[in-house]
Amino acid sequence: MDMKTVREDARKKLKGFCRVCPVCDGRVCAGEVPGMGGLGTASSFRANIEALARVRLQMRTIHPVKEPKLSFSLWGRTLSMPILVAPMTGSTYNMGGAMTEEQFVAELAAGALQAGTIAMTGDGADPSMFGSGLAAGKANRASTIAIIKPRAQEVIVSYLRQAEEAGVLATGMDVDGAGLVTMAMKGQPVGPKTFEELREVIGATQLPFIVKGVMTVDEAEAAVRAGAAAIVVSNHGGRVLDSVPGAAEVLPAIADRVKGKAMVFADGGVRSGTDVLKLLALGADAVLIGRPMITAVYGGGRDGVALALNQLRNELLQAMLLTGTADVGQVARSILAP
């Protein structure tokens, strides 16, 4: 199996919901929500790509770094790389339905484990989607992270109990899902949370809690004050609000303010190991990757996911060697060109 074959097979199975473009930048699928595109003009999707493209690395080859450290410790688990699979749902209405929701999330989770890392699992317009994610991790305890939509408080607490019972490594909420079109279409109410409501749900579990969808310094600080163990700097792949900056644009200021108080993850527009290193240099502790994993799982199942993740890891290793970066846990912002 190689990535060319994976991409060709994925293009057939995704049935036009994703064209598996040579450059995944949101132009062809603009406005296709449900589907794989960004909301409206897809400017927020493209902003993720463009923000990362503007970041440049300084190449250095006269240094002692010969075997960079890529392993990453996360709440007691040692991962092979600081790259996790982002939470994704909607195989039937976003991706054409060639895989059931259960198959989709199970193969993503298994492929991540095969590559030595883990997947976040999501919540969606069909309530059974959250359960599918929990089932994907039950065979290997602490092998997935369950992310919940900003539903009613009592529903979130119920989902937290299910996540605890399933033995997930951590849980959390993608607060940026507050206005998701697909949730509204399917009669699943979601909405913004007050600081007090956020603190209440975080306090309802002993699991590490992640607040996903943070794009401003003040909300990052609020999430940390509410008790979050981690935040994810993310604009939800450009799928919830048009005209939002790319994650790489806002990440440095957020990381400067809260890193060390909580873990800082980032996602949006990651297409290579070089992109991963850029986000680490901008302040992320780890990076989530979404759409490329859909191509990988539809084109090659768990083996395709592991292949794609290992390719990213190898690209990250190469970029570290060529920037003099010894450890993914200590990526200096000085490797970035001024």
Side-chain angles (χ1 to χ4, degrees):
M1 181 184 293
D2 57 36
M3 285 308 300
K4 180 181 179 182
T5 303
V6 167
R7 289 174 60 83
E8 288 172 351
D9 288 349
R11 186 176 291 109
K12 297 171 188 174
K13 292 177 182 175
L14 285 163
K15 305 175 183 178
F17 282 75
C18 174
R19 286 74 162 181
V20 191
C21 300
V23 178
C24 177
D25 61 7
R27 295 181 186 279
V28 175
C29 57
E32 295 182 4
V33 180
M36 293 297 299
L39 190 74
T41 67
S43 66
S44 301
F45 184 154
R46 292 196 302 275
N48 283 326
I49 304 290
E50 293 162 359
L52 276 170
R54 287 194 294 271
V55 179
R56 296 284 191 266
L57 298 171
Q58 300 203 92
M59 187 167 69
R60 291 190 174 94
T61 55
I62 303 174
H63 57 72
V65 179
K66 299 182 185 297
E67 295 183 0
K69 179 187 174 187
L70 277 80
S71 61
F72 170 65
S73 180
L74 181 63
W75 298 312
R77 281 193 69 108
T78 298
L79 308 182
S80 64
M81 64 187 95
I83 306 171
L84 288 74
V85 176
M88 295 173 287
T89 59
S91 180
T92 52
Y93 54 78
N94 285 326
M95 307 163 206
M99 299 179 79
T100 66
E101 194 71 25
E102 293 79 4
Q103 291 169 331
F104 172 70
V105 68
E107 293 297 295
L108 282 174
L113 279 179
Q114 194 172 308
T117 186
I118 62 176
M120 291 188 179
T121 64
D123 179 16
D126 182 342
S128 69
M129 291 174 175
F130 184 71
S132 296
L134 296 183
K138 278 188 177 178
N140 297 279
R141 292 185 72 82
S143 63
T144 56
I145 293 172
I147 302 297
I148 304 166
K149 288 284 181 284
R151 299 173 178 273
Q153 295 293 91
E154 65 275 11
V155 178
I156 295 173
V157 172
S158 170
Y159 279 23
L160 288 173
R161 297 292 168 265
Q162 294 174 46
E164 292 165 346
E165 177 67 23
V168 299
L169 177 64
T171 188
M173 179 166 57
D174 49 350
V175 292
D176 53 356
L180 272 174
V181 173
T182 47
M183 296 291 289
M185 289 171 61
K186 301 288 184 177
Q188 296 292 308
V190 291
K193 294 296 180 184
T194 66
F195 174 79
E196 290 74 18
E197 287 172 330
L198 180 60
R199 184 168 57 186
E200 180 181 51
V201 296
I202 292 174
T205 181
Q206 294 299 308
L207 290 169
F209 195 97
I210 302 163
V211 177
K212 183 178 184 293
V214 175
M215 288 291 287
T216 63
V217 170
D218 64 308
E219 291 214 330
E221 291 181 316
V224 173
R225 289 200 312 274
I231 63 167
V232 183
V233 178
S234 171
N235 68 13
H236 210 93
R239 293 174 61 78
V240 292
L241 181 64
D242 221 344
S243 301
V244 174
E249 294 178 69
V250 302
L251 173 60
I254 291 173
D256 287 347
R257 196 67 66 87
V258 302
K259 193 168 181 178
K261 300 174 185 176
M263 298 199 74
V264 178
F265 302 156
D267 73 10
V270 177
R271 302 292 181 264
S272 68
T274 302
D275 287 339
V276 173
L277 186 60
K278 290 177 182 181
L279 289 175
L280 297 179
L282 291 171
D285 293 301
V287 171
L288 314 184
I289 185 160
R291 286 179 178 92
M293 292 297 101
I294 294 173
T295 299
V297 73
Y298 264 77
R302 66 187 64 189
D303 292 339
V305 172
L307 179 67
L309 285 168
N310 282 322
Q311 177 174 298
L312 287 165
R313 187 181 187 277
N314 290 336
E315 292 168 352
L316 174 59
L317 173 63
Q318 183 80 350
M320 292 174 71
L321 283 169
L322 292 172
T323 56
T325 302
D327 187 340
V328 292
Q330 299 178 35
V331 182
R333 203 166 290 177
S334 60
I335 69 168
L336 303 178

